[in-house]
Amino acid sequence: MAPISTRLVAVAVLSLWSCLTASAQSDTLVFKSGLSDYKLASHNNAPDIWVDSADFKGIRRAAGDLALDFGRVVGINGTVRLVDDSDIPSSPPSLIIAGAIGKSALIDDLVSAGKLKVSDIEGKWEAYTTAFVKSPLKGVPWALVVAGSDQRGTIFGLYDISEQIGVSPWYWWADVPPKRKINIWVQEKRKIQGSPSVKYRGFFINDEAPALTSWAEPRFKRTANGRPFTAEFYKLIFELCLRLRANYIWPAMWGSMFYVDSPENGPNADDYGVVIGTSHHEPMARAETEQQQKLEGPWDWIGNKKNITEFFREGAERAKDYDTLYTMGMRGAGDVESPTLTFESLEEILKVQQTILKDVMNVSDIGDVPQTWVLYKEVGRYYQAGMEVPDTVTLLWTDDNAGNLLRTPFINETDREAGAGVYYHFDYVGAPRSYKWINTIQLVKTWEQMHLAYEKGAREIWIANVGDLKPLEIPMTHFLDMAYDMSKHTTPDSTTEWIKRWAIREFGKPSIAEKTAQILNTYGKLIVRRKYELLSRQPFAYSVANYDEAERVIEEWSDLLDLAQGVYNGLPQETRTPFFEMVLHPVLAGKTVVELYIKTALNSWYYSQRRTSTDRLAKDVNDLFAQDAEITERYHSLEDGKWDPILNQTHIGYTFWNEPPANTMPNVSYHTTKNVPRSGIMGVSVQGSSKSSPGDPAPTLLPVDPYMPPSERRYLDIFTRDNGTFSYKITANTSYVTVSNSKGTLTAPGEKSDIRSRISVDWSRAPKGLSWVGLKVAAANGQATTAVLPVNKTSVPGKFHGYVESGGVVSIEAEHYADAEKKSGLSYTTVPHYGRTLSGVKLWPVTADSQTPSSAPKLTYSFHTFNSCNSARVMVFLGATLNHDPSRPLKYAFSIDGGDAVTVQPVPNTPMGSVPDGWEDAVIPGGWTSISTVKLSSGSHKLSLWLLEPGVIVQKLVIDVGGFKESSLGPLESYKI
Ligand SMILES: *[C@@H]1O[C@H](CO)[C@@H](O)[C@H](O)[C@H]1NC(C)=O
Ligand SMILES: *[C@@H]1O[C@H](CO)[C@@H](O)[C@H](O)[C@H]1NC(C)=O
Ligand SMILES: *[C@@H]1O[C@H](CO)[C@@H](O)[C@H](O)[C@H]1NC(C)=O
């Protein structure tokens, strides 16, 4: 035992040490004695926070939050004092001074006295510095000073202290417990935080019924309009927004009117310092419901110009005193395309809107009013048709509602005054299926697309649709953290690093960071393959017949659940709640739903094999359906029902794009004594076949060879087809093939009704070439069947290194190349955990120009085939990315054995505002599969691959020489020698 415990201690010390060094670099506060003499807070003291009484309201308010945060952490609230020059309070035991440069005399005096350096942030957007200052004022020995370049810069500086002392931005919305401290000291340091990477960063509360709406209804006193999204609701939202270092919100709009429902909403947002916008179809700071309720006449520019102009003006008049980012342009009534708008009329609308804004805001330069035009759906077509959009309007590009960017800025668009941005989805109502239930986001996919967007110059606005907000905490935080500081997200492994930092912040234990990253990365991989709502679609997502795909997918989910449950079990009670909400719940609930559908598919398969265990699977499906409801109840019972019923979104039994009214059990089959000819109690089936023998013809197993993928299995299943008991025995007609469970007794009903017999081959004794082995399965009652096993002893000649064909395919994960060139500053990078199986490989940097096979670096894959094939298929499994630069569609090229390079464009061209042909087939399984046909001789080969655009991401390559079988994820990775 001794060596084991010694090692454990060493590991613990190491992780503590790395945690301390990691935080010491950027943080101004420490929690251990001996590192600083300046105690800011302890269990019997919390600091005064002085704010100039003339400073921004938002700073005064956020200082109050920080004061309470000290109470949350040390047990004593801080005290906010509004100070004016004539009346400086007496010196408290410890002091924080906070304010905006140019607005706070407290700060400006420190600057002019040479005590505080602000030159590196002054005049910048939302920057701040936090500094230890000696003798800041007469009689005050020292203070921690937070100086912002503007209102929000200062607020972010205050919340940075909150976060450092242990209050998560999610302390309320995800129940992350504040991390208690005994003592808090200030280091003699200065922290400089420059402007955020993206100027306007925020989220859109959308598709908020039934979940968020029915949660809010009993909790917030309804507005005059009967709506639950009241001033009290939005105060919680504004605080969250700022604590997440975001600054911009599109408010809830399904039947709600932000400015009308609660007239305090507009002024409150402004007091907090949050910028309000409206969604893509709600121009001029007015909600869609206002278009229906407040506009005289139809929402149709051509037919109702005068009244709509007035409607626009009222919107601007109402919002003019608040920090507002105006959505411009127009769409049809009710979030759809307008039947009458043309690009000429849209140009006119923009002119009218700008004239109104200039007039109402009383500015000489319209560029001083933040405006955006969202090129969502059909709107992009007007732009492509040549519509002039003033330079002072930010072009807000969008994804395809499924996380794949439709467009990034062209180089000739990057010098537009108001720049460009992205509207991105983590939740969606629409085809192919709405996804509104729980988190279905692969974080590294978000990174890949948003990093690209950023590098291409979309830096003015990032806004994410977060649905009901609540189960999307993680993708939302990740997105906003990137937008705040892209310098921490420049490399493909930055997402994993981010998850670790995030896990430590929320759950406090450095020791779980690695595992949390593993959980979220694996979850991303499993969910990107198919969203829950799409699992009811036929044909079923995962193949029961081929590659044991369906069974393997359940196993992956089970392993993931074990991992997540293990971490949960090791956490103290108080962090279990947020861990459950954000990490364990999606894994548990997700696994339950996936297993429900897979067992439904297996139930139908077993039914055709006439197994009595069909009924057990039917029961499992029923149980899983019940468990799904219990898991929802478990979530709803957290924190004494704080979140009830926020997860009441239906999610099982979708039959078309929109949600079913209630979760619905899938149809399951039952093994009945009546209808099925059984041919006796014993049944034998082989992998990949829905038949069973005796009765059906004697089965032939899938072939075996020495180069089967390491994780591939070969087996036959023996089972009961009727109630009763029988004994069986399996005998091979040769000794180089052996089977597990070669004899036994099976009984139905009961758990011991089926058994799997795995096949092993002693290749040293098997004959060369193809031979046929008989595996006789005989029951004691005289029933018998003989399964035939093709044994194919191949051998690779010479000194070949690479992947070897088995069963007519070679399958290689993209990152397992034999060689990757570097050339003219270009190289390939692996994006860990990207896509559906292992990772993705892409050209780097993402700002690279279009390439040709002669200019691009080359990836080389080495493989060996035994079969020659005149129409071999080269199958390239790609990410779901789109032609985001229509002038540079995604392309790759390949060649075999140094032959001519074949260039392939995997995603068809498409007019802007539409999705390409085949889009659903790519979006549903989470990637494009691009197929080319080549002539291939048997032997060892080199496949060269060139990715010609940085938007192309390869996940996996399959060479099909005749053996490829239908499946979602493709064959298992081949054997490598
Ligand atoms: C801090 O102040 C708040 C608001 O007044 C109060 O609810 C809370 O109990 C106080 N906390 C402590 C630790 O005194
Ligand atoms: C515009 O509003 C007026 C009332 O102010 C109304 O009489 C008129 O019908 C409206 N115009 C249209 C085209 O609906
Ligand atoms: C901007 O660049 C794109 C892509 O290269 C091109 O299609 C478009 O015509 C250019 N626009 C102008 C105004 O030059």
Side-chain angles (χ1 to χ4, degrees):
M1 284 308 285
I4 293 175
S5 55
T6 313
R7 209 170 65 216
L8 283 179
V9 169
V11 170
V13 168
L14 193 71
S15 63
L16 185 65
W17 175 82
S18 60
C19 166
L20 283 178
T21 50
S23 54
Q25 287 160 4
S26 60
D27 294 351
T28 43
L29 304 178
V30 286
F31 312 105
K32 272 187 173 315
S33 59
L35 297 167
S36 160
D37 295 332
Y38 307 102
K39 193 184 275 189
L40 187 65
S42 67
H43 62 283
N44 55 22
N45 171 56
D48 264 22
I49 305 168
W50 290 2
V51 179
D52 194 295
S53 56
D55 212 334
F56 290 104
K57 269 191 185 167
I59 295 174
R60 281 148 38 195
R61 199 207 58 79
D65 280 355
L66 177 59
L68 297 184
D69 288 344
F70 277 100
R72 294 179 174 116
V73 171
V74 293
I76 292 195
N77 285 332
T79 308
V80 178
R81 291 189 202 283
L82 298 183
V83 176
D84 63 55
D85 257 352
S86 56
D87 179 24
I88 304 284
S90 60
S91 178
S94 63
L95 176 63
I96 294 172
I97 299 174
I101 301 163
K103 188 85 175 167
S104 164
L106 281 169
I107 296 296
D108 292 350
D109 289 350
L110 288 172
V111 174
S112 51
K115 291 178 177 171
L116 179 68
K117 186 171 175 252
V118 293
S119 53
D120 33 23
I121 58 150
E122 197 168 3
K124 289 193 174 162
W125 177 263
E126 296 179 0
Y128 67 87
T129 182
T130 307
F132 174 85
V133 176
K134 273 199 173 141
S135 311
L137 296 158
K138 207 162 149 260
V140 180
W142 61 270
L144 175 64
V145 178
V146 181
S149 60
D150 54 18
Q151 172 171 233
R152 276 188 296 272
T154 315
I155 293 171
F156 297 148
L158 288 165
Y159 282 139
D160 178 63
I161 298 178
S162 295
E163 202 175 308
Q164 284 192 50
I165 64 175
V167 179
S168 161
W170 290 103
Y171 79 96
W172 194 85
W173 281 100
D175 305 306
V176 176
K179 293 173 197 66
R180 307 285 297 188
K181 301 278 180 325
I182 310 285
N183 291 301
I184 299 171
W185 283 274
V186 184
Q187 291 189 296
E188 287 178 83
K189 278 180 142 190
R190 179 167 169 252
K191 171 172 178 168
I192 306 149
Q193 179 69 48
S195 294
S197 303
V198 176
K199 190 170 182 187
Y200 293 100
R201 314 165 299 284
F203 53 92
F204 176 20
I205 300 171
N206 189 216
D207 310 329
E208 59 271 16
L212 188 67
T213 305
S214 45
W215 171 80
E217 270 167 356
R219 285 175 176 77
F220 300 95
K221 216 169 129 245
R222 295 199 190 206
T223 65
N225 233 11
R227 302 299 301 167
F229 302 123
T230 60
E232 291 313 307
F233 169 83
Y234 274 111
K235 284 183 188 171
L236 289 165
I237 295 285
F238 300 151
E239 183 187 331
L240 174 69
C241 172
L242 294 168
R243 283 186 186 261
L244 288 167
R245 305 176 193 85
N247 59 10
Y248 179 43
I249 287 171
W250 288 358
M253 44 95 5
W254 277 15
S256 290
M257 300 175 277
F258 179 77
Y259 295 101
V260 179
D261 294 345
S262 288
E264 311 98 283
N265 279 340
N268 282 350
D270 200 60
D271 287 352
Y272 271 72
V274 172
V275 183
I276 298 296
T278 38
S279 74
H280 49 87
H281 57 117
E282 303 178 300
M284 299 297 277
R286 300 201 75 168
E288 184 197 312
T289 308
E290 291 186 78
Q291 297 165 15
Q292 295 157 19
Q293 294 185 4
K294 310 278 174 186
L295 172 70
E296 293 283 352
W299 181 249
D300 170 26
W301 179 251
I302 307 300
N304 197 13
K305 213 174 274 191
K306 191 161 158 289
N307 290 356
I308 291 176
T309 303
E310 196 43 39
F311 180 86
F312 287 162
R313 177 175 292 275
E314 286 162 13
E317 286 286 353
R318 185 175 63 192
K320 70 170 192 274
D321 296 330
Y322 319 138
D323 218 344
T324 306
L325 203 171
Y326 290 90
T327 293
M328 309 291 276
M330 199 168 163
R331 294 188 63 209
D335 191 359
V336 295
E337 180 169 355
S338 157
T340 54
L341 283 177
T342 60
F343 84 82
E344 289 87 355
S345 55
L346 266 166
E347 280 180 3
E348 182 189 33
I349 291 168
L350 278 178
K351 269 204 194 86
V352 168
Q353 291 172 333
Q354 286 206 322
T355 306
I356 292 171
L357 287 177
K358 213 168 155 187
D359 183 32
V360 170
M361 309 293 289
N362 197 15
V363 289
S364 55
D365 179 358
I366 185 63
D368 291 344
V369 183
Q371 308 151 60
T372 186
W373 191 45
V374 194
L375 294 115
Y376 188 59
K377 294 193 173 169
E378 82 287 351
V379 178
R381 287 206 293 277
Y382 305 117
Y383 183 73
Q384 194 173 31
M387 180 186 158
E388 292 267 332
V389 182
D391 238 29
T392 44
V393 177
T394 304
L395 297 177
L396 197 60
W397 300 109
T398 72
D399 67 353
D400 59 352
N401 301 311
N404 310 297
L405 297 175
L406 287 167
R407 179 73 146 73
T408 51
F410 292 146
I411 291 181
N412 61 18
E413 289 166 345
T414 50
D415 55 1
R416 301 181 74 261
E417 182 185 329
V422 175
Y423 168 40
Y424 200 75
H425 288 79
F426 294 135
D427 174 288
Y428 179 59
V429 172
R433 292 266 159 103
S434 303
Y435 55 101
K436 312 201 286 168
W437 178 42
I438 56 176
N439 174 15
T440 59
I441 301 306
Q442 182 172 62
L443 295 172
V444 74
K445 171 179 163 165
T446 308
W447 171 81
E448 193 280 329
Q449 289 285 277
M450 295 312 295
H451 171 260
L452 177 78
Y454 182 78
E455 290 294 316
K456 295 277 182 184
R459 301 182 177 188
E460 191 74 11
I461 303 175
W462 283 18
I463 187 147
N465 188 323
V466 297
D468 301 291
L469 187 143
K470 196 40 198 145
L472 297 181
E473 298 93 339
I474 297 176
M476 176 173 161
T477 312
H478 179 231
F479 179 88
L480 294 174
D481 278 2
M482 271 193 283
Y484 185 68
D485 187 357
M486 202 63 200
S487 75
K488 295 200 179 86
H489 301 266
T490 55
T491 58
D493 60 0
S494 59
T495 302
T496 296
E497 294 310 308
W498 176 85
I499 298 172
K500 291 189 214 164
R501 289 196 301 274
W502 173 84
I504 293 171
R505 181 181 82 184
E506 310 303 46
F507 312 123
K509 278 178 72 176
S511 58
I512 67 154
E514 200 78 46
K515 278 189 179 159
T516 306
Q518 199 187 335
I519 294 164
L520 293 182
N521 282 327
T522 306
Y523 183 75
K525 176 175 84 175
L526 298 185
I527 192 60
V528 87
R529 297 169 176 178
R530 193 80 42 140
K531 293 195 191 277
Y532 304 109
E533 295 80 357
L534 282 157
L535 287 168
S536 54
R537 215 163 172 267
Q538 295 302 326
F540 181 53
Y542 302 110
S543 176
V544 175
N546 301 323
Y547 308 118
D548 296 323
E549 187 170 68
E551 288 185 14
R552 284 174 190 275
V553 171
I554 299 193
E555 286 166 22
E556 286 177 280
W557 277 97
S558 295
D559 291 348
L560 174 62
L561 178 57
D562 288 349
L563 185 65
Q565 186 67 50
V567 172
Y568 175 90
N569 293 347
L571 288 171
Q573 194 56 46
E574 56 169 11
T575 33
R576 282 184 175 184
T577 300
F579 188 86
F580 179 79
E581 287 177 30
M582 294 188 279
V583 182
L584 180 58
H585 175 268
V587 171
L588 176 63
K591 185 237 175 199
T592 304
V593 168
V594 173
E595 189 175 354
L596 173 135
Y597 281 109
I598 290 182
K599 289 209 160 147
T600 302
L602 287 172
N603 164 265
S604 150
W605 185 258
Y606 278 25
Y607 177 78
S608 35
Q609 292 174 334
R610 294 168 259 168
R611 303 194 193 204
T612 57
S613 50
T614 305
D615 291 6
R616 197 162 60 233
L617 282 166
K619 179 175 183 305
D620 285 353
V621 175
N622 276 289
D623 290 350
L624 287 160
F625 187 77
Q627 276 165 32
D628 170 77
E630 284 159 19
I631 294 164
T632 303
E633 275 317 300
R634 178 173 167 196
Y635 194 112
H636 288 163
S637 69
L638 293 173
E639 302 284 298
D640 297 324
K642 180 174 172 186
W643 300 114
D644 185 17
I646 205 149
L647 285 191
N648 69 354
Q649 175 64 54
T650 58
H651 51 277
I652 302 176
Y654 267 69
T655 55
F656 70 122
W657 69 267
N658 206 5
E659 66 204 28
N663 289 329
T664 327
M665 254 290 289
N667 286 327
V668 287
S669 304
Y670 289 88
H671 178 84
T672 62
T673 32
K674 267 187 241 136
N675 307 323
V676 196
R678 288 202 188 74
S679 316
I681 185 172
M682 180 181 81
V684 178
S685 287
V686 297
Q687 185 179 16
S689 163
S690 60
K691 302 274 186 284
S692 80
S693 306
D696 290 330
T700 301
L701 283 127
L702 296 169
V704 285
D705 65 55
Y707 301 104
M708 293 203 314
S711 61
E712 186 151 354
R713 311 152 182 170
R714 204 56 93 232
Y715 57 82
L716 32 88
D717 285 346
I718 301 138
F719 47 83
T720 54
R721 295 195 289 205
D722 218 336
N723 286 345
T725 294
F726 71 91
S727 301
Y728 72 89
K729 190 162 183 259
I730 309 172
T731 33
N733 62 2
T734 156
S735 62
Y736 58 84
V737 172
T738 50
V739 298
S740 68
N741 296 318
S742 62
K743 54 186 181 191
T745 302
L746 300 178
T747 302
E751 293 292 319
K752 284 209 67 184
S753 62
D754 304 52
I755 199 145
R756 178 157 290 179
S757 170
R758 302 267 297 251
I759 289 157
S760 316
V761 178
D762 178 353
W763 289 107
S764 66
R765 292 171 52 225
K768 275 202 175 121
L770 186 61
S771 55
W772 304 83
V773 172
L775 295 168
K776 182 173 180 190
V777 189
N781 65 8
Q783 264 190 288
T785 193
T786 298
V788 176
L789 174 71
V791 177
N792 189 14
K793 184 169 173 183
T794 47
S795 85
V796 180
K799 302 191 298 262
F800 172 78
H801 290 292
Y803 290 87
V804 183
E805 178 207 324
S806 170
V809 288
V810 185
S811 172
I812 311 173
E813 292 289 347
E815 71 166 73
H816 293 156
Y817 45 73
D819 186 52
E821 260 183 353
K822 286 191 168 70
K823 200 163 158 184
S824 331
L826 301 182
S827 61
Y828 288 102
T829 190
T830 296
V831 185
H833 312 292
Y834 181 90
R836 307 184 299 156
T837 47
L838 180 66
S839 60
V841 172
K842 69 182 282 183
L843 188 63
W844 198 255
V846 298
T847 46
D849 284 335
S850 297
Q851 301 296 314
T852 63
S854 47
S855 67
K858 182 169 69 177
L859 290 162
T860 306
Y861 296 88
S862 187
F863 66 96
H864 184 93
T865 56
F866 300 105
N867 295 305
S868 62
C869 187
N870 281 333
S871 52
R873 299 193 299 167
V874 176
M875 308 175 78
V876 182
F877 287 61
L878 299 159
T881 54
L882 300 171
N883 297 331
H884 56 86
D885 182 337
S887 68
R888 294 173 54 182
L890 305 184
K891 275 186 191 144
Y892 66 86
F894 72 92
S895 84
I896 305 244
D897 300 330
D900 289 345
V902 179
T903 299
V904 181
Q905 180 185 327
V907 182
N909 289 338
T910 170
M912 215 161 78
S914 319
V915 291
D917 283 351
W919 174 78
E920 286 208 349
D921 294 334
V923 155
I924 291 169
W928 297 88
T929 304
S930 170
I931 301 176
S932 309
T933 305
V934 296
K935 199 173 154 162
L936 201 65
S937 58
S938 61
S940 299
H941 301 283
K942 294 253 185 275
L943 172 78
S944 305
L945 183 68
W946 298 268
L947 306 185
L948 305 179
E949 291 289 348
V952 181
I953 310 166
V954 192
Q955 303 182 16
K956 173 160 149 167
L957 296 160
V958 173
I959 317 293
D960 172 23
V961 287
F964 183 86
K965 299 194 191 71
E966 251 350 281
S967 59
S968 176
L969 306 171
L972 302 168
E973 188 168 40
S974 297
Y975 188 87
K976 188 184 179 205
I977 53 175

